[in-house]
Amino acid sequence: MPNFSRQRRSYRPGTRAPSTPFGPSAARRITIVLVVVVVLVGIPQLLGKAAKGHLAASLGNAPAGAARASLLGASVAPTNAGNSDFYCTGASDAPDGLVPMTIELANNGAVPLTVIVRSVSQSGATKSVSVTLARSSHAAVGPQELVSGSYIAADVSANGGGLAVFELSQGPKGRSVSPCASVTSATWYMTGATVNNDSKVLYFLYDPLATPVIADMSFFGINGPIPVPSDQGIVVAPRSLEVVDSNQGLFGNREIGAVVQARTGRLVAFQLQLEPPAPASGAQASLSVVAASGAVATTLGSTHLASRWYFPQGAASGSQAESLDFLNTANSSAKISIFVKLDAGAAEPLSLEVPGESEVIFPLGQQVRIPQNVGHAIEVSVESGPPVLVSQWIGSPDQGDPAPQGAWLSIVPGAISSASSWVCSIDTTSSPYGAVIVAQNQWASPVNVTINIGPSEPVATETIPPHGHVVVPLSAAQVATASDVTVISSGRPVNVEQELLKLGFTAYAASLAMPVNASSPPG
C-alpha cells in the first residue's frame, strides 16, 4: 500500500522542529507558484489587484456564525423550521482526482420534504434536480444527476426542517464521507493535510450566496507559518467555485493546516486529500481497486476553534495508524491534555504543547500507554492558552511494502458540540460495505442510547459507560429498505460518529453524524 504515514513528521515532547530558512530565491519561487495557481483555478490576478493589505481579521478568533452553527458548521434544523439549506463540495472528476460525488439526503421529520439539489461546476455550468423525500427516509442523488465537471459544488434546499445532508465521494480513488455545511462563514479552519512527493491537497472555496467573496488563505506547518504573499485576494464570484491546489513547489514535504479568511462576504470551505496508488506487481497485483488507485479524504472545514474536542472512536493496530493533528493560529502556545478512555484497562492522560502559529502531529498510536488493538474514545482539553483545531488522522499503517488490506485514509475533525439526537445517512445494504455507529459519552455517569433505522422498532439500545463509548455494527438484515434513515437518540447529549467498513478492512470512511439542536458538551 502507499506508505501514507512514513512522511508524517511527529511531535516529540519538549522539542520543536528547526525553522526552514526562506531566502529571496525561495520567496521568488513562492510568488511564481501562486501565479501558476491563478492560471489553474481561474482566479484573475491573485497577487494584489483585487484587494490590498494583510488578512482582514485575526486568525485566532472564530466568527460568531449563524444561529445554527454548531460543530464544523453542520447541523440539522428543527423539524418545525421553515426551510433547510446545505452546501456540499470537495469532489473531483479530474484525472488526478477521480472522486465523483453523491449527495446523501436524510429526512428526520414526520412529513415529506421537497428537496432541490442545484450543482455547479468550476466552469459555471449548472444542473438542478428535485427529490421528494418521505418522512424518516433516505435518498441519494448520484453523479449522473449532478452537473459534469472536474470540480463541482452543490446547494441543497428543502421546504422544511429535519433534513441532514452528507456527501459521499466514491470512485477509483477510494471512498470518503463528510457532512455538508449548513452555514456559510467568513472564516474556515482545516488541518490534517499532507503534501509530499506523492500526496497532494486541494482546497475548495464555494460561494453559494449572491455576494462576491474576496478571501485570503494562510498556511501553517510544524515549523510555524508558511510564507505566502499577503496580497492574495482570491475572488470567488457569487454562486461559483474556486479550487486552490497545494502545489508541492509552495509547500515542499510537510503537513499543513490552513485558514480561509474572507475580507468580504461568506463562503464554504472543504479540503480534499489525495493519496498515491500502490504499486501493482507480483502477488500484490490483485489488490483491491482502492489499493490500486490510492485513497481520498474529503473534509468539511471548521468554523470554530475550541478548547475542548471529542472523538468517539479510535484504535491503533497493525491494520491502521492513528494520530491527532493540532492547529494553533494564535501567536502564543497552547498546553494540551489528551484523555483516552480505553475499552479495556486504563491509560494516564497525555500532554503536549502546541506552539503558536503551528501545526503539530501527535502519533497517538505510537504512545506506549495506548495498547494496540484496544478501542478507545478521546477527549482533548486546552489546559491553558488559545483555542485550537483538532482532527483525527486514521489511515493505512506505516509499512514499506503494499499490504494485503489495501490503502485507505480518513480525516475526521473532532466534535465541539453534543446533542441528544443525531442523524446518519448510511445505506447499510451497499455491499461490500458495512456500517458502524459509535456513540461517545462525555458525562461522569452512564448514558443510554437508542438506534432507530426508519420508523420501525429500535435496532439497538446500549448503555455508554462514563467518558467511554459504544460501538454498534449495523447489518443489511436490520434495514427494512435502503431508503430508511438512521437516527441515534440519547437521554443526555452525546457525540456520534458513522463509519463505513469494507469487508476485510480494505477500506474505511468515517465522519461525525449530524446533530439536531446541538449544545455545548460538559466541561
Side-chain angles (χ1 to χ4, degrees), residues 270-305:
F270 278 73
Q271 171 183 289
L272 175 61
Q273 177 76 53
L274 297 169
E275 295 289 358
S281 61
Q284 300 300 335
S286 61
L287 286 174
S288 70
V289 66
V290 178
S293 299
V296 60
T298 302
T299 308
L300 171 63
S302 176
T303 57
H304 294 73
L305 302 175

Side-chain angles (χ1 to χ4, degrees), residues 177-333:
V177 62
S178 172
C180 292
S182 59
V183 297
T184 58
S185 176
T187 310
W188 292 89
Y189 304 90
M190 293 164 283
T191 190
T194 302
V195 179
N196 54 46
N197 290 331
D198 300 316
S199 305
K200 68 181 295 184
V201 62
L202 302 174
Y203 296 101
F204 288 68
L205 311 183
Y206 179 47
D207 177 7
L209 306 178
T211 304
V213 170
I214 300 175
D216 297 293
M217 292 192 69
S218 54
F219 302 92
F220 303 87
I222 63 173
N223 299 319
I226 300 172
V228 295
S230 59
D231 295 335
Q232 296 178 35
I234 303 174
V235 178
V236 188
R239 299 184 177 89
S240 68
L241 171 69
E242 299 292 350
V243 180
V244 178
D245 196 319
S246 62
N247 197 303
Q248 189 179 339
L250 173 61
F251 295 111
N253 289 350
R254 65 179 79 198
E255 295 74 37
I256 54 177
V259 180
V260 178
Q261 178 68 55
R263 304 179 190 179
T264 63
R266 301 168 68 87
L267 73 166
V268 173
F270 278 73
Q271 171 183 289
L272 175 61
Q273 177 76 53
L274 297 169
E275 295 289 358
S281 61
Q284 300 300 335
S286 61
L287 286 174
S288 70
V289 66
V290 178
S293 299
V296 60
T298 302
T299 308
L300 171 63
S302 176
T303 57
H304 294 73
L305 302 175
S307 296
R308 199 86 175 180
W309 293 88
Y310 299 88
F311 299 88
Q313 171 77 314
S317 66
S319 61
Q320 73 177 46
E322 178 185 12
S323 68
L324 296 177
D325 291 12
F326 295 82
L327 175 62
N328 178 8
T329 64
N331 57 14
S332 58
S333 296

Side-chain angles (χ1 to χ4, degrees), residues 68 74-81 83-86 103-111 113-117 131 133-134 137-139 155-166 180 182 423-425 485 514-516:
R68 285 203 292 124
S75 64
V76 179
T79 54
N80 61 356
N83 64 284
S84 297
D85 294 288
F86 289 88
I103 305 295
E104 302 277 348
L105 310 171
N107 181 6
N108 185 42
V111 298
L113 292 174
T114 299
V115 182
I116 305 297
V117 179
V131 177
L133 199 58
S137 70
H138 156 267
D155 298 347
V156 180
S157 60
N159 61 341
L163 179 68
V165 182
F166 298 83
C180 292
S182 59
V423 180
C424 299
S425 185
V485 65
M514 195 169 289
V516 181

Side-chain angles (χ1 to χ4, degrees), residues 37 100 147 205 263 280 317 336 362 386 391 396 406 423 428 497:
V37 171
V147 69
L205 311 183
R263 304 179 190 179
S317 66
I336 308 291
F362 190 83
S391 294
S396 303
V423 180
T428 58
E497 179 174 293

